[in-house]
Amino acid sequence: MSTILDVAALAGVSVATVSRVINGSGAVSENTVKKVTDAIEALSYNPNSAARNLKAKKAGLIIVILPSISNTFHTKVVRGMEDFGRSAGYNVLLCTTGGDKSRETTYLDMVKSRQADGVIFLSSTLTADELNTFGKNYPAVLACENKNDAEVVYVGVNDFNAAYDMTT
């Protein structure tokens, strides 16, 4: 696997110049851009996204936690999340837990370690207190299923108005 150092050596430029070419920032001559892009292609170089995320302080990833993908309502909700997320520069990682708290905790660790920028819970095994603790430190949203004592952002359906609209 090639590194940015390999690209710089092959192109005969500094690592900073390779970085400027990759990020499209700073003044770099067309000749140098060509040397760097040729070196990138020759080495099949792919920038290290973890390093880029650390510098940008953004992973570009939102985790959506749900018990399973069998619920067609959840499927439609997730599709909307993915469409909107992508338009805002985020990818959505769908994580099913099967109701297993340890699996949910593993996904939350991804947010804590900055591999993901936040989490949307369509369902959660966490208690309201656990959600509150997590939500005070990391971006978290409850969607569809509310835990009344949780103090994190909640997005859902107004069941009363929906039932009223349906019956009228």
Side-chain angles (χ1 to χ4, degrees):
M1 186 162 100
S2 301
T3 68
I4 195 167
L5 292 169
D6 299 326
V7 173
L10 183 60
V13 299
S14 70
V15 170
T17 299
V18 174
S19 178
R20 283 194 296 274
V21 170
I22 290 170
N23 295 311
S25 61
V28 181
S29 73
E30 286 183 39
N31 184 41
T32 302
V33 170
K34 174 126 176 63
K35 285 182 192 178
V36 171
T37 55
D38 287 349
I40 288 171
E41 188 175 318
L43 295 170
S44 299
Y45 172 72
N46 286 309
N48 183 324
S49 61
R52 183 178 283 181
N53 293 347
L54 281 174
K55 185 175 181 184
K57 296 182 181 177
K58 176 183 166 190
L61 182 67
I62 302 294
I63 293 176
V64 175
I65 294 179
L66 68 162
S68 80
I69 57 171
S70 61
N71 183 326
T72 57
F73 173 74
H74 285 162
T75 305
K76 291 176 182 178
V77 170
V78 168
R79 179 59 189 249
M81 290 176 185
E82 185 174 25
D83 290 346
F84 186 80
R86 289 185 63 80
S87 74
Y90 288 90
N91 289 309
V92 173
L93 179 64
L94 187 60
C95 300
T96 60
T97 64
D100 181 347
K101 189 170 189 166
S102 66
R103 286 172 69 179
E104 187 170 335
T105 302
T106 298
Y107 299 131
L108 296 180
D109 287 343
M110 291 177 68
V111 177
K112 291 177 182 178
S113 65
R114 299 188 187 267
Q115 295 173 26
D117 296 308
V119 62
I120 300 172
F121 298 94
L122 295 186
S123 178
S124 178
T125 61
L126 301 180
T127 66
D129 287 339
E130 291 168 325
L131 283 167
N132 291 339
T133 299
F134 184 84
K136 285 179 184 170
N137 298 299
Y138 306 97
V141 175
L142 283 172
C144 304
E145 182 183 300
N146 192 12
K147 295 204 179 207
N148 292 330
D149 294 334
E151 297 171 3
V152 296
V153 174
Y154 169 69
V155 178
V157 175
N158 182 323
D159 293 329
F160 178 84
N161 285 348
Y164 178 82
D165 290 345
M166 181 180 71
T167 57
T168 56

